[in-house]
Amino acid sequence: MAEYDPGWLAGKVVQGTPDAVIAADGDGKVILWNSGAERIFGYTAAEAIGQSLDLIIPERLRKRHWDAYQASMASGTTKYGSDELLAVPAERKDGTRISIEFTITLLRDDAGRLIGPAAVIRDVTARWNEQNELRKRLRDLEAKLPAAVEGSAAAT
């Protein structure tokens, strides 16, 4: 069995995954943007690296995002642990709103100093739309149920 350098292999996994892998520095500037991020958000790595995470954060959510971001950078912790999946809206380069789910990990250098967060992000827009449509259909059916029950009782 061939041996591979773990760093090289990790880089291949990060770049090859269809999910977005994004890392930012302590100021919220993108420092890693993989091919999955290009596919999901529409920005090339060259366009995204060095830019603010505002690229993908809808304007109405930015204050809440940055308040939490700054708190995490100050404390060195995040309330979104390794077993938490966060679901939020995001924005593509063309302005399209999408639904994403992601996990966060805080990156540290070899001396233990906080570099910034990294996230693995999946576009779940299709699933969210389907679930939303099913919820709407269920509400419609539940609204019709009392009338159907009354009609059934009156017929007997």
Side-chain angles (χ1 to χ4, degrees), residues 25 48 89 97 126 142 151 156:
D25 66 13
R97 295 292 171 96
E142 287 173 338
T156 56

Side-chain angles (χ1 to χ4, degrees), residues 62-81:
R62 289 180 186 164
K63 180 179 180 345
R64 189 168 89 199
H65 165 81
W66 290 114
D67 288 348
Y69 195 96
Q70 290 166 353
S72 289
M73 292 303 99
S75 70
T77 62
T78 176
K79 66 179 183 176
Y80 303 108

Side-chain angles (χ1 to χ4, degrees), residues 124-141:
V124 295
T125 305
R127 185 181 75 212
W128 189 90
N129 288 339
E130 181 179 296
Q131 289 173 342
N132 200 36
E133 180 60 31
L134 288 172
R135 282 189 291 271
K136 181 182 179 298
R137 289 174 60 194
L138 182 60
R139 278 193 310 272
D140 291 347
L141 288 171

